[in-house]
Amino acid sequence: MKRACVIGWPIEHSRSPLIHGYWLMKYGIDGSYIKEAVRPDEVADFLRSLDRRGFVGCNVTVPHKELAYAIADEREASARAVQAANTLWLEGGKLHAANTDTYGFMTNLDHAAPAWKAHDGPACVLGAGGAARAIVHGLLEAGVDEVRIFNRTRQRAEVLAQTFGPRVKVFDWDARSEASREACVLVNTTAAGLKGAGSLGMVFAGFNPACVVADIVYVPLETELLVEARGEGLRTVDGLGMLLYQAVPGFEKWFGVRPQVTDELRAILIADVEGKKC
Ligand code: ATR
């Protein structure tokens, strides 16, 4: 039986076992996928002993993604671009690392808003943490002419911008509405919408009508940001799709089947997020 897991600290909130468990059942695979609570000071030991612990690989979530990247023997370009890894697997006796957050976000954006166009205006990103790095990388790869970063702590946005070069520009947090009006896409990567942790204070009046507004927060599924954007007639993309698509490459590496993100799987996750049984 092939075994995989997700490590984090804390880990109770992780919905990855629900996703991989669904696919294992759907494809009739003799495998398992469990949560492992791993403290920051135990991550290195844990990852170096994956094989001995009987795992073929694992997902890595907050706050271990940078450490996992540093520990891996081989790093895919996706991980190098973000300097963080969320998907690890053993191959030829070596620990390989990838970052599938970029793939997850961009694939979901393409599915949920197929009409979005990289050249309809700048791409605007709220936040400058690890998730922002993955998304900025994806938007640049998709060919946007300019990415504008807005972060409460401007210095952090400047550090991020420097690593990506001249197509990434830093703006003041207070300019986030005004300087995003021409955007082709606006993405919230901050934790501000999480479980109603406060509004981002965006004003969508006067926005490019073609702008797609995406949130990576999925609890709640309907963040204040998305409700406000739709109120101004803008298309929106919720954060659940990114979670589902980022899981695809890992499952394929560990269990040998490229799984499908289906409406049924999405419904199971929505029911879980909303605290219902499905
Ligand atoms: P992740 O790796 O998930 O992106 P992170 O590295 O902790 O998480 O980054 C969190 C981001 O959310 C940061 O950009 C943070 O802004 P600061 O750099 O100023 O801390 C942003 N953030 C968190 N809470 C916020 C809030 N209430 N309003 C605006 N930005 C917020």
Side-chain angles (χ1 to χ4, degrees), residues 236-275:
T236 59
V237 175
D238 65 53
L240 193 55
M242 176 182 177
L243 177 76
L244 296 172
Y245 284 105
Q246 64 77 34
V248 169
F251 189 90
E252 185 179 25
K253 286 277 183 212
W254 308 318
F255 302 115
V257 173
R258 187 138 186 114
Q260 294 289 313
V261 171
T262 59
D263 289 344
E264 183 186 40
L265 174 58
R266 193 176 148 84
I268 290 169
L269 269 289
I270 291 174
D272 188 72
V273 167
E274 292 175 349

Side-chain angles (χ1 to χ4, degrees), residues 62 127-132 151-153 156 173 189-192 197 200 216:
V62 178
N151 196 49
R152 200 175 48 175
T153 313
R156 218 174 157 196
W173 178 247
T189 74
T190 77
L200 283 153
I216 69 159

